[in-house]
Amino acid sequence: EVLRAGVPASAEHDDGQAAAWIQSMGTSRLIGRATERARLREALEAAVQGRGGVVVITGEAGMGKSRLAGDLAEDATRCRARVLLGQCHETDQIVAFSPWAEALRQLGIRAIAPLCEALGPARRRELARLLPELAPDAVVSGGEPLPLFDAVTAFLEQLSRPEPVVLVLEDVHWADEMTVRLLAFLGRRVARWRLLVVATARHEDLDDVPFIRRALDTLATAPQYLALDLPPLSREETATLVRALGSAGAAELGERVWSLSEGHPFTVVEMLRAGPGGLPRRVREAVALRLDRLGSR
């Protein structure tokens, strides 16, 4: 198994990545999700006070998982918490630990190095498997994952002592096995830290990846664990979203949008962007991807 994250190393601080991601979620008011938002804020407040946890947000594609996670991240910045972002990509599944390496690199090597020194040489060597720039002259090879898991969790514990940390892992349905195993390992150890880990996943894709489903099932037994499965918006929430997007004739249009979308946020937004007519191209493409998953029967 490949244990090194083979992504380009950089010693530069990239603190703008999480901020850019939060901004990309949109500046408009988040419609609905009042219950989910309240529970996320409770989890954030607990982490700020030293009762860390793990949140897993699931739902169909386009149901607003990233938007909800972005809303939480925005709240975290207001609480002066550090936000780190690691994104999983379908094409990077062969690269072990890629989202973890992406998230930690946002700290910058100058911030990482002193924390590693405090952890000792053995854990520093393990972290160099994930971030080779920590030991540019060393020969870093693979090995057992457990020492690396221990090094990453110890590093995050140290990082979260002076200030709360929110670490977001996006689209873990595309994660490699080592990434989700590390997530499960970490999730059982954060209950007394100022660390909140948030993962998003499409539940329709999890059935095809048994090792991710097993890891999430393991997480469910961890302290301070929160699972949020996003349902469609209600009829009233759909109408509110139509009005919030400033569409003319919102009352009549809201009923039409509801009848076609049944509260699916992505479909609602795309229909309003496309204007009168049939289903927008991006919605048809999303449906086609779902159909491609079906067998001939």
Side-chain angles (χ1 to χ4, degrees):
E1 293 178 287
V2 179
L3 287 175
R4 288 181 61 186
V7 293
S10 171
E12 296 299 320
H13 187 36
D14 190 19
D15 58 355
Q17 182 170 343
W21 172 74
I22 293 172
Q23 188 175 12
S24 73
M25 293 299 102
T27 57
S28 60
R29 179 167 60 99
L30 181 60
I31 305 299
R33 310 303 187 204
T35 300
E36 293 84 357
R37 293 173 75 189
R39 298 186 70 187
L40 286 172
R41 283 173 178 155
E42 289 175 1
L44 175 60
E45 290 170 4
V48 169
Q49 296 168 12
R51 303 191 309 275
V54 178
V55 177
V56 178
I57 305 173
T58 57
E60 292 182 13
M63 200 57 75
K65 302 177 296 298
S66 296
R67 181 68 178 85
L68 189 61
D71 185 74
L72 172 68
E74 192 171 4
D75 284 343
T77 60
R78 296 193 190 101
C79 297
R80 299 188 181 278
R82 184 190 293 272
V83 178
L84 301 176
L85 171 66
Q87 294 176 303
C88 305
H89 302 280
E90 191 172 10
T91 55
D92 291 345
Q93 289 171 305
I94 61 172
V95 182
F97 301 111
S98 177
W100 292 101
E102 178 185 358
L104 296 183
R105 280 198 172 97
Q106 290 159 37
L107 296 167
I109 192 65
R110 292 181 181 177
I112 293 173
L115 290 171
C116 289
E117 290 296 334
L119 295 177
R123 282 171 167 165
R124 181 186 176 95
R125 283 194 300 271
E126 289 299 323
L127 284 172
R129 293 164 60 187
L130 191 65
L131 303 170
E133 59 266 36
L134 288 174
D137 299 325
V139 177
V140 180
S141 59
E144 290 296 320
L146 187 58
L148 177 56
F149 289 5
D150 172 72
V152 172
T153 54
F155 177 86
L156 289 171
E157 181 185 11
Q158 288 269 37
L159 181 67
S160 63
R161 284 179 179 176
E163 61 182 349
V165 176
V166 174
L167 193 155
V168 181
L169 298 177
E170 270 270 78
D171 296 325
V172 296
H173 52 274
W174 285 330
D176 63 277
E177 184 171 1
M178 287 294 126
T179 285
V180 293
R181 286 177 61 183
L182 176 53
L183 173 61
F185 183 90
L186 175 66
R188 297 190 297 273
R189 290 162 174 81
V190 299
R192 296 183 180 179
W193 304 351
R194 302 176 76 192
L195 173 66
L196 183 63
V197 183
V198 181
T200 68
R202 297 178 187 171
H203 60 51
E204 68 266 27
D205 289 328
L206 294 178
D207 293 336
D208 294 337
V209 194
F211 67 81
I212 296 180
R213 174 63 71 183
R214 287 196 299 271
L216 296 183
D217 289 344
T218 300
L219 267 177
T221 64
Q224 303 291 97
Y225 172 77
L226 174 60
L228 297 176
D229 190 36
L230 301 188
L233 299 177
S234 68
R235 182 189 295 267
E236 293 73 21
E237 289 167 344
T238 300
T240 302
L241 178 56
V242 172
R243 290 194 298 270
L245 293 173
S247 301
E252 297 79 9
L253 182 59
E255 276 302 309
R256 178 174 179 274
V257 169
W258 164 256
S259 67
L260 288 174
S261 70
E262 294 186 344
H264 189 278
F266 172 75
T267 304
V268 173
V269 172
E270 289 301 314
M271 287 181 66
L272 295 175
R273 284 177 177 171
L279 285 177
R281 176 183 58 83
R282 292 185 66 192
V283 176
R284 292 200 306 272
E285 290 173 352
V287 174
L289 287 174
R290 295 292 297 275
L291 292 176
D292 285 343
R293 298 169 55 85
L294 301 176
S296 57
R297 182 176 179 180

